Amino acid sequence: MSFVRVLRRPFERVGILLRAGAVAGLVAGGSLAGAVAAEAMDIEPVVSPGGIHAWLVHDDSVPIVAVNFAFKGGGSAQDPVGKEGLANLLSTLLDEGAADLDSEAYQKKLADLAIKLGFDAGRDSFSGSMQTLAANTPAAFDLLRLALTETRFDAEPISRMKAQIVSGLRDDAQNPGAVSNRLFAKTLFPEHPYGRPGDGTVESVEAIKADDLKAFKARIFARDNLYVGVVGAIDAKTLGALLDKTFGGLPAKADLTPVPDVVPVTGAEATRAMPTAQAILRFGLPGLKRADPDFIPAYVMNHILGGGTFTSWLFREVREKRGLTYGVETYLLAYDHAGVLAGGLATRPDKAAEAMKVIDGELHRMATDGPSAEELAAAKRFLIGSYPLRFDSSSAIAGQLLGIQLDGLGIDYVNKRNGLIEAVTLDDVKRVAKRLLDHGAPTVVSVTPPKG
């Protein structure tokens, strides 16, 4: 996964919508009848006879089943030096042939049964999603089992997927936004796996062999780092049996390379010159891990500062008052081994310094003064009112179940979350603003046109 994709992932993850050929009208939305209210969901913990854990929301109102799963700790941070992009390449190959089905035959099976199957390599986890019509649930789980346990790694799909990735990397090298995101990661996290490109480089991807893919999968896919969220027309007993059949053949324990905790660099500057009409700026400060008690107050504070788009301080000061950009934002990145408060914008090259000066001023004002009571109340109303939108489809709910597990928030988090937001006080926001914003200059990277 590229850093830009990781960068924009919200801390409360959202699942992937389903596409299914002739039944796209039913399955693409995957919506539960009237959409399940977050507070009304009955999340059932399921333990298979073989000891595999999952969370289930059983609902028969739409005849589909959505599954999201992940192997925690198994993302691109596990890529060996010189083989960056290994996890990402693996994510493209799991549905390119398994057991006695070559790539074409495997894909035809998925299409014939209207099954959507996909995989993704993040920084800290390797995840997958599957959506199927309820009538095809056993076949869908069996195809997933084959993908995870009997991947073929034939030469032709490996060559084809490597070529696609390399082509994308060469395109990214000419894309100022992609260049700025890679430079930002490298500058924030020098000499750390988070600073290396998740999609790899042309050289590292071309260096990956079939044996590298097999070894990575053998180390990462295991039962002890597996998390599963399931939503739809399936009961706990049926799910338990399918969990054992699908995942029971995986190793008991993953063999993960330890990833050290790291604090993002502050006060650093890096610039890359390339043909571009605008200067693209990224800035970052140390943030919080998800387990930090101050994370929810920081989430509310960030919404007021730069996360609320049209209502945020930065939008008002940088765009509305001065016309320096079309958009500016900040966001929290909660990795397993680091936290970042990051932001970015694009502006005229001759206005870049002015834009950053205004942003620095707003960071300082938030750290010293904090927001008003009215601004806090408005932020809480928005964050509480918009939360149900994260549960508008079966696949979205399955994604939320998985994300809550990966973040270690507890099975009651859905019912507690809005109360946690409502409980945030003005003193909480001012305290966390001072904690995050009052300790040095941010790291700033820019991609700008060559001088002259």
Side-chain angles (χ1 to χ4, degrees):
M1 171 179 282
S2 66
F3 190 74
V4 63
R5 290 166 65 196
V6 176
L7 197 69
R8 300 304 307 277
R9 175 175 293 168
F11 82 94
E12 291 169 304
R13 300 169 177 86
V14 177
I16 301 170
L17 295 179
L18 176 59
R19 169 191 55 78
V23 293
L26 169 65
V27 184
S31 297
L32 301 178
V36 176
E39 297 82 356
M41 281 198 314
D42 180 15
I43 303 174
E44 181 180 0
V46 175
V47 182
S48 75
I52 297 172
H53 292 251
W55 288 1
L56 169 66
V57 173
H58 178 205
D59 189 283
D60 293 320
S61 59
V62 176
I64 66 173
V65 175
V67 181
N68 279 47
F69 63 93
F71 299 100
K72 186 174 175 63
S76 64
Q78 293 292 313
D79 288 348
V81 174
K83 299 291 177 70
E84 291 84 2
L86 178 56
N88 180 61
L89 178 58
L90 176 62
S91 74
T92 70
L93 289 165
L94 292 175
D95 60 354
E96 289 287 338
D100 60 346
L101 301 172
D102 64 12
S103 176
E104 183 177 353
Y106 190 93
Q107 290 291 324
K108 187 176 186 303
K109 282 270 191 181
L110 293 175
D112 288 347
L113 296 172
I115 297 166
K116 172 66 175 179
L117 181 63
F119 302 93
D120 188 37
R123 286 288 178 184
D124 293 315
S125 64
F126 190 104
S127 61
S129 64
M130 182 184 75
Q131 297 88 38
T132 180
L133 296 171
N136 296 331
T137 298
F141 271 90
D142 195 53
L143 286 169
L144 173 59
R145 175 187 65 81
L146 293 177
L148 295 176
T149 61
E150 298 186 46
T151 323
R152 287 171 65 105
F153 295 119
D154 292 334
E156 187 279 327
I158 292 176
S159 177
R160 173 163 41 87
M161 289 303 173
K162 286 171 70 171
Q164 289 183 15
I165 292 170
V166 166
S167 176
L169 291 171
R170 287 179 170 142
D171 287 344
D172 283 350
Q174 308 303 317
N175 183 309
V179 170
S180 70
N181 284 319
R182 287 199 171 210
L183 182 61
F184 189 48
K186 182 179 180 180
T187 307
L188 281 177
F189 300 113
E191 309 303 323
H192 189 275
Y194 289 162
R196 296 190 276 128
D199 282 350
T201 65
V202 171
E203 295 76 18
S204 69
V205 172
E206 289 180 340
I208 296 170
K209 307 298 183 186
D211 286 346
D212 299 316
L213 294 159
K214 294 173 184 177
F216 187 92
K217 185 170 81 75
R219 287 197 308 109
I220 300 305
F221 293 5
R223 300 195 303 275
D224 70 327
N225 65 333
L226 172 67
Y227 294 81
V228 185
V230 181
V231 177
I234 186 170
D235 59 53
K237 182 178 180 181
T238 303
L239 175 60
L242 288 172
L243 290 173
D244 280 345
K245 182 178 179 181
T246 304
F247 301 106
L250 296 174
K253 293 185 178 297
D255 181 19
L256 301 176
T257 301
V259 176
D261 287 351
V262 61
V263 177
V265 170
T266 57
E269 295 184 6
T271 301
R272 185 73 49 83
M274 63 184 299
T276 176
Q278 291 187 307
I280 297 177
L281 306 178
R282 301 279 183 260
F283 56 92
L285 286 162
L288 302 174
K289 295 179 186 177
R290 187 59 187 84
D292 193 292
D294 272 341
F295 189 88
I296 290 292
Y299 184 56
V300 177
M301 182 276 295
N302 176 73
H303 181 84
I304 299 167
L305 175 65
T309 313
F310 299 108
T311 62
S312 73
W313 283 17
L314 294 186
F315 188 89
R316 182 172 64 244
E317 295 296 327
V318 182
R319 174 177 169 166
E320 288 188 350
K321 289 187 178 181
R322 296 170 176 84
L324 296 174
T325 184
Y326 284 111
V328 58
E329 63 175 344
T330 58
Y331 36 89
L332 296 174
L333 300 173
Y335 295 123
D336 286 355
H337 303 284
V340 186
L341 192 157
L345 75 158
T347 187
R348 278 172 43 184
D350 61 324
K351 296 293 185 180
E354 180 183 354
M356 276 310 306
K357 183 177 180 181
V358 175
I359 290 169
D360 283 338
E362 292 304 287
L363 298 178
H364 178 72
R365 183 163 74 93
M366 180 63 80
T368 55
D369 300 336
S372 67
E374 292 76 13
E375 289 171 324
L376 173 60
K380 293 199 293 187
R381 282 196 302 272
F382 177 86
L383 294 173
I384 290 171
S386 63
Y387 189 53
L389 299 178
R390 300 181 184 273
F391 301 86
D392 64 350
S393 71
S394 299
S395 54
I397 296 170
Q400 288 294 320
L401 297 184
L402 177 63
I404 291 167
Q405 291 180 78
L406 289 173
D407 288 335
L409 301 177
I411 201 166
D412 60 345
Y413 176 75
V414 171
N415 295 324
K416 291 167 48 180
R417 184 265 191 188
N418 281 348
L420 297 173
I421 298 285
E422 184 58 48
V424 174
T425 67
L426 202 56
D427 285 342
D428 291 333
V429 172
K430 290 180 177 180
R431 182 190 70 253
V432 77
K434 187 172 183 63
R435 176 183 173 187
L436 294 180
L437 305 176
D438 192 25
H439 56 70
T443 284
V444 181
V445 304
S446 59
V447 174
T448 62
K451 293 182 179 180

